[in-house]
């Protein structure tokens, strides 16, 4: 997959491509339906297929004061889109200036002049242009005038009848329901980052942890999780079962939020390493303990609970860009 950041980088051989438009935060199963529709149409037409997404997320531009909410920061989103077999990822820079252009100007400058697109694919709720005035109907109307086709993909639903939605995924994560979030994503939700030095209390307790800051990621419910953790081994990712706590560590009167991951049956120095952590299931809420002995005993119980939760699930040896949903025990 080729990453294109502006029109000047666009290969003329790719003009006339089919493009899917959207932010695609999470790349959930509804997003995948839009992206794969674009790929199918492109293959039928014999042209390249691409995805145009917008960075930073418009919500970050308009409401920078809001707490972190990203399901998939750009690097992770790009990996997921590439795994869908897409030729081009078009990263459109989003700022107040770009937000101020009209819907018609976006079509003329980006879709017609820059891409020369043959066909555009969007989700049923896609809006664009200044004041979000561009609608799917407007896009179809202008497409007829400018000579490109438009496909609007209807809502994609889970077997339960629930519409796939990034907002619902966030609600499930905040509500301590990572397994339900995974059903909408088509994979377990992951965070990734560099392991930081902590205060080494995990070693003192006998349960060493690898510590990650979530940064712009959506913060899930505070508490203890059964997880899969992938260690970057220079091109390969080696996966292990684990148990993680996300929160403020109230027993030690901490106030900053941290993800502390304990890998089961692994004795390895992970400081500075790149780590991926997939939340598989929720064990319990975070709470304050009376002392280290009580905390140590609870961690031991959490580890046994985590082992039991993970033992009934099948994970492939190489889960690719994200850990796929596995059958519940």
């Amino acid at each position: 997959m080729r990453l294109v950041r502006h029109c000047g980088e666009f290969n003329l051989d790719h003009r006339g491509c089919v493009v899917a438009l959207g932010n695609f935060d999470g790349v959930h199963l509804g997003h995948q339906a839009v992206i794969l529709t674009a790929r199918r149409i492109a293959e039928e037409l014999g042209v390249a297929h691409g995805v145009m997404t917008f960075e930073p997320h418009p919500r970050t531009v308009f409401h920078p004061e809001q707490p972190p909410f990203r399901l998939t920061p750009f690097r992770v989103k790009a990996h997921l889109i590439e795994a869908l077999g897409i030729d081009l990822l078009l990263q459109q820079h989003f700022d107040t200036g770009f937000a101020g252009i009209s819907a018609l100007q976006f079509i003329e400058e980006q879709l017609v002049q820059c891409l020369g697109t043959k066909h555009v694919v969007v989700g049923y709720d896609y809006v664009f242009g200044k004041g979000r005035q561009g609608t799917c109907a407007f896009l179809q109307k202008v497409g007829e005038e400018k000579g490109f086709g438009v496909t609007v993909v209807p809502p994609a639903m889970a077997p339960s009848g629930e519409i796939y939605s990034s907002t619902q995924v966030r609600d499930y994560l905040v509500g301590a329901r990572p397994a339900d979030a995974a059903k909408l994503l088509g994979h377990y939700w992951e965070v990734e980052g560099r392991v930081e030095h902590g205060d080494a209390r995990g070693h003192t307790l006998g349960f060493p942890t690898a510590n990650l800051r979530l940064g712009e990621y959506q913060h899930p419910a505070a508490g203890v999780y059964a997880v899969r953790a992938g260690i970057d081994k220079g091109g390969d990712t080696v996966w292990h079962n684990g148990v993680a706590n996300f929160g403020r560590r109230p027993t030690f009167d901490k106030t900053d939020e941290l993800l502390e991951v304990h890998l089961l049956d692994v004795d390895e120095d992970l400081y500075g390493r790149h780590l991926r952590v997939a939340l598989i299931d929720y064990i319990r809420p975070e709470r304050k303990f009376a002392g280290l002995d009580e905390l140590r005993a609870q961690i031991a119980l959490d580890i046994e609970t985590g082992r039991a939760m993970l033992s009934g699930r099948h994970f492939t040896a190489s889960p690719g860009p994200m850990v796929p949903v596995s059958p519940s025990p």
Side-chain angles (χ1 to χ4, degrees):
M1 182 180 75
R2 183 182 178 201
L3 174 62
V4 179
R5 298 183 186 274
H6 55 78
C7 280
E9 296 179 350
F10 197 69
N11 189 329
L12 292 179
D13 292 339
H14 290 140
R15 282 186 61 81
C17 66
V18 175
V19 62
L21 302 178
N23 190 269
F24 303 119
D25 186 28
V27 196
H28 58 58
L29 292 171
H31 294 150
Q32 293 176 39
V34 174
I35 293 169
L36 292 176
T37 296
R39 193 182 79 175
R40 175 183 58 78
I41 293 172
E43 290 170 348
E44 291 172 354
L45 295 175
V47 299
H49 35 82
V51 171
M52 178 182 285
T53 188
F54 305 89
E55 291 290 333
H57 194 290
R59 182 169 152 185
T60 301
V61 174
F62 291 124
H63 300 287
E65 78 286 353
Q66 292 189 354
F69 67 93
R70 293 293 297 267
L71 297 173
T72 48
F74 180 72
R75 181 177 181 274
V76 179
K77 181 166 64 175
H79 287 325
L80 287 170
I81 291 173
E82 183 176 26
L84 296 175
I86 296 302
D87 294 326
L88 304 168
L89 178 57
L90 312 166
Q91 182 190 4
Q92 173 61 55
H93 179 69
F94 191 93
D95 55 19
T96 55
F98 183 80
I101 70 173
S102 69
L104 180 60
Q105 186 178 355
F106 170 76
I107 293 172
E108 291 178 337
E109 293 182 356
Q110 300 298 319
L111 303 183
V112 177
Q113 296 174 22
C114 180
L115 303 181
T117 185
K118 285 186 179 295
H119 204 98
V120 174
V121 181
V122 294
Y124 69 100
D125 57 351
Y126 182 72
V127 292
F128 62 103
K130 183 178 180 179
R132 297 165 61 88
Q133 293 180 346
T135 64
C136 294
F138 179 76
L139 183 61
Q140 289 174 316
K141 175 179 177 295
V142 178
E144 290 180 4
E145 298 171 356
K146 301 293 184 181
F148 63 85
V150 176
T151 295
V152 179
V153 178
M157 297 185 183
S160 63
E162 184 176 31
I163 294 177
Y164 298 115
S165 158
S166 297
T167 298
Q168 186 59 64
V169 171
R170 294 187 190 100
D171 289 345
Y172 280 145
L173 292 173
V174 173
R177 299 169 63 182
D180 288 325
K183 292 175 183 176
L184 300 187
L185 290 167
H187 51 77
Y188 292 105
W189 184 66
E190 293 185 17
V191 300
E192 63 173 46
R194 294 284 173 188
V195 177
E196 297 185 0
H197 283 277
D199 51 24
R201 282 200 178 93
H203 285 278
T204 301
L205 291 166
F207 305 102
T209 61
N211 304 321
L212 297 179
R213 303 281 175 183
L214 264 58
E216 64 178 320
Y217 279 104
Q218 170 70 53
H219 287 195
V224 181
Y225 294 83
V227 304
R228 288 280 284 173
I231 305 170
D232 183 2
K233 295 284 188 177
D236 294 324
T237 302
V238 179
W239 291 88
H240 303 277
N241 288 340
V243 172
N245 182 84
F246 175 70
R248 293 186 169 91
R249 296 93 73 215
T251 302
F252 304 105
D253 297 321
K254 298 291 185 178
T255 58
D256 58 319
E257 292 183 303
L258 190 67
L259 182 67
E260 301 172 294
V261 186
H262 174 69
L263 303 186
L264 303 183
D265 308 315
V266 175
D267 182 13
E268 186 173 346
D269 183 2
L270 298 178
Y271 289 127
R273 300 287 288 278
H274 191 85
L275 192 69
R276 292 167 53 187
V277 183
L279 305 189
I280 308 301
D281 216 336
Y282 191 71
I283 297 175
R284 65 167 176 86
E286 186 178 48
R287 65 184 180 90
K288 186 170 184 174
F289 294 91
L292 294 185
D293 289 341
E294 184 180 359
L295 174 58
R296 187 181 291 111
Q298 183 62 57
I299 292 174
L301 289 175
D302 293 338
I303 287 174
E304 292 310 308
T305 301
R307 284 187 190 277
M309 286 179 167
L310 296 167
S311 65
R313 302 173 188 268
H314 171 71
F315 299 102
T316 58
S318 300
M322 299 289 259
V323 177
V325 175
S326 63
S328 299

